[in-house]
Amino acid sequence: MIKSLFIPSFQTDTGYSINLTVTYQVFGKELGTAPVVLVNHALTGNSSVTGEDGWWNNLIGKNKVIDTAYYTVLSIDIPGNGFDGNPENLIAAYKEFHNRDIARVQLEVLNFLNIKSLYAAIGGSLGGQILWELAMEAPELIEYLIPVATDWKATDWVIAQCAIQEQILCNSEKPIHDARMHAMTFYRTAASFTAKFNRSVHSEKGIYNVESWLLHHGKRLEERFELATYKLMNHLLGTASITKGRSEIHHLLKTIKSTVHLVAIDSDGLFYPAPIYNTHQLLKSVGVQSYYHEIQSIHGHDAFLIEYDQLNNILTTIFNTKYQNENFKIWRKIAG
């Protein structure tokens, strides 16, 4: 069930003030009775991480690696993502927001729910970028920090792709449709396209199947997404940086008390694995317990939504039932 929290006069880091309505969902064990896992959604996602329309059902649910029979799973919608269907809650002034503001909103929700600690926090792409900011805002909050297919900053390549997206969103006659078509080309890879389509032609449309697939994705997102939402999410993705207005990265990473599990994808054309591995090395150099995992896939960035067997194997040592007794002891100690 979708729940909401009203935050009056929320002030962003830019000094912009706005009344925010934040929506969230809770799955699994009742709050206060079990370790809490925060799951952040990606650019076009929402808080339905499991259940009938769950976009991460392969990972989250009863008898899944993140077992809702054992954990409390919390997912918070990025404000302005339009999931509640209320146009009044969309954010027009999207350039006034950055991921740090979204992390502060998440802390408001956690405080409202009286959640003092998180056993784990996991998120892919934009969702993982926000986790980095959450770790900066509350270094002792998260026991296991798991950013997937993402990094603490937007690289020049990410900034470039988001700049093109911004131009499409601001100038196209079909902005959501066309921006989504472009986005799918850097979410996947040339090898993925070849394996899926191999220059085949759609029998009814008379166009290549890859063209039909791109048009389909453009139409699908156009049907369920708002332009203001896309502009906001793209802006958040392209402006990510935990160092902005703070200190140098090695000083910041020293403050993290979490055990960090970084998950990269060898073929990711948006968040290349090399910078993520460099973050892993930097974390280790400043004394943070860090582990680097790399998914092998031809599918590029979207592999974190495709390669579930590999993701399950990576997450097993953190969430699997054979470790739950020890996990529960850790949670009880953290929760006091």
Side-chain angles (χ1 to χ4, degrees):
M1 179 185 296
I2 300 174
K3 300 180 181 180
S4 65
L5 173 65
F6 179 67
I7 306 175
S9 302
F10 179 83
Q11 191 169 68
T12 69
D13 267 8
T14 65
Y16 180 71
S17 183
I18 184 174
N19 293 330
L20 284 179
T21 297
V22 187
T23 54
Y24 62 92
Q25 295 189 66
V26 179
F27 307 92
K29 301 289 285 185
E30 183 181 348
L31 279 168
T33 67
V36 179
V37 179
L38 174 68
V39 181
N40 278 1
H41 67 79
L43 190 145
T44 62
N46 52 54
S47 60
S48 287
V49 297
T50 188
E52 185 177 351
D53 299 312
W55 55 266
W56 243 3
N57 274 331
N58 293 77
L59 296 178
I60 304 169
K62 287 187 177 180
N63 300 317
K64 303 294 175 62
V65 67
I66 304 178
D67 193 345
T68 50
Y70 180 80
Y71 296 103
T72 300
V73 175
L74 169 67
S75 186
I76 305 167
D77 288 295
I78 297 174
N81 77 340
F83 187 52
D84 62 357
N86 187 347
E88 293 182 1
N89 293 331
L90 298 175
I91 296 173
Y94 63 96
K95 291 189 178 180
E96 300 288 349
F97 282 80
H98 296 89
N99 287 330
R100 193 168 306 168
D101 301 307
I102 309 306
R104 288 171 49 228
V105 168
Q106 292 189 333
L107 286 174
E108 293 271 2
V109 176
L110 293 173
N111 289 334
F112 172 73
L113 296 175
N114 198 32
I115 296 173
K116 305 298 184 185
S117 64
L118 296 172
Y119 175 72
I122 182 171
S125 195
L126 174 58
Q129 286 181 328
I130 294 166
L131 288 185
W132 278 112
E133 288 288 355
L134 189 60
M136 291 296 101
E137 292 292 309
E140 298 186 2
L141 173 69
I142 306 163
E143 183 73 13
Y144 291 97
L145 177 68
I146 315 166
V148 180
T150 194
D151 201 9
W152 58 265
K153 83 284 190 187
T155 62
D156 291 294
W157 180 251
V158 173
I159 293 166
Q161 297 304 323
C162 290
I164 296 170
Q165 289 275 288
E166 171 84 357
Q167 288 298 306
I168 297 171
L169 292 169
C170 291
N171 297 299
S172 174
E173 292 182 2
K174 300 176 67 178
I176 297 174
H177 179 280
D178 295 347
R180 181 61 166 176
M181 286 184 67
H182 166 248
M184 295 308 297
T185 64
F186 58 77
Y187 291 158
R188 299 293 178 96
T189 66
S192 179
F193 279 10
T194 298
K196 186 175 182 66
F197 303 110
N198 196 27
R199 291 180 48 82
S200 59
V201 176
H202 196 286
S203 59
E204 295 179 1
K205 297 179 181 178
I207 60 175
Y208 287 107
N209 276 316
V210 67
E211 295 177 275
S212 176
W213 182 82
L214 290 170
L215 290 166
H216 168 73
H217 276 278
K219 184 170 185 269
R220 282 277 305 275
L221 193 66
E222 191 176 42
E223 290 170 348
R224 71 174 182 86
F225 228 45
E226 297 290 340
L227 181 58
T229 296
Y230 205 152
K231 286 182 175 180
L232 171 64
M233 301 301 157
N234 181 65
H235 174 72
L236 294 175
L237 187 73
T239 56
S241 175
I242 63 172
T243 58
K244 184 178 180 181
R246 294 193 178 112
S247 59
E248 296 296 323
I249 184 61
H250 61 283
H251 292 306
L252 293 176
L253 294 182
K254 279 182 182 178
T255 67
I256 294 178
K257 305 303 181 186
S258 311
T259 296
V260 182
H261 287 264
L262 302 174
V263 183
I265 300 161
D266 68 336
S267 60
D268 197 331
L270 185 60
F271 286 95
Y272 281 73
I276 299 173
Y277 184 74
N278 289 341
T279 297
H280 163 65
Q281 291 182 309
L282 188 52
L283 283 163
K284 290 180 67 177
S285 74
V286 298
V288 176
Q289 191 169 4
S290 176
Y291 300 88
Y292 176 82
H293 313 272
E294 192 169 288
I295 293 171
Q296 309 298 308
S297 177
I298 66 167
H299 296 302
H301 186 64
D302 269 1
F304 79 93
L305 300 169
I306 298 171
E307 304 287 359
Y308 288 115
D309 287 344
Q310 292 186 61
L311 254 180
N312 270 288
N313 289 338
I314 291 166
L315 298 177
T316 289
T317 55
I318 307 170
F319 295 106
N320 195 276
T321 52
K322 68 185 280 191
Y323 299 93
Q324 285 180 357
N325 288 336
E326 186 61 30
N327 291 351
F328 186 71
K329 291 176 187 175
I330 293 172
W331 172 75
R332 288 294 294 271
K333 182 178 178 182
I334 297 169

